[in-house]
Each structure stands twice: as C-alpha cells, then as structure tokens.
Amino acid sequence: MSYGLGSLTRAPLSGADRDAVFYASKVGARPLPEGPAPMTAAQKLAELPDAVHENLRSLGTDHLGVVYLRRMDM
C-alpha cells in the first residue's frame, strides 16, 4: 500500500502477475505547494484523464481496478 506518487508500491510489485495485483487510485486534486492548502481541486472533465494517465505511469501499470474521485468541499 502506498500514498502519494506510488513509488513505494511499484518497486516490490515489479514483475508481479498482473492479475495478482489490485490497484486503486484517486484523482481530482493536484499539488499546490505554494498555496494556502497543499492541494487544489482538479475535477474538470478535461483534467481527469490526464490524472488517470499520470497514476498509471507513476505506478508502472496499464490498469487500475478502481479510480476514486476526491471530494473537494471548499
């Protein structure tokens, strides 16, 4: 299990059988290190596919079992 960019998850599972690993990830926010909060909403329809593709890349996989949408009540 990992939180963040997935680097902790990718290393131990590299080479694992694809069906033996279940990935779940979150989208709907992006880092905002210089802002008043560490994240800001990124929930426009045009932003979501890019977030999913970034999660796939950072996890080193081509599939996600579940993608959660962060709820940003700001």
Side-chain angles (χ1 to χ4, degrees):
M1 185 158 96
S2 174
Y3 187 82
L5 297 177
S7 58
L8 296 176
T9 303
R10 181 178 19 181
L13 298 177
S14 61
D17 177 16
R18 175 187 168 146
D19 294 331
V21 179
F22 184 88
Y23 287 102
S25 190
K26 292 185 273 187
V27 297
R30 62 180 167 79
L32 189 65
E34 304 299 322
M39 292 189 295
T40 189
Q43 299 185 346
K44 294 179 182 170
L45 185 56
E47 296 170 303
L48 298 177
D50 289 340
V52 170
H53 288 290
E54 175 56 25
N55 287 344
L56 290 168
R57 185 201 62 75
S58 70
L59 290 167
T61 188
D62 64 352
H63 72 288
L64 297 171
V66 174
V67 176
Y68 296 99
L69 178 61
R70 293 177 189 265
R71 185 175 170 149
M72 303 290 287
D73 293 330
M74 295 187 205

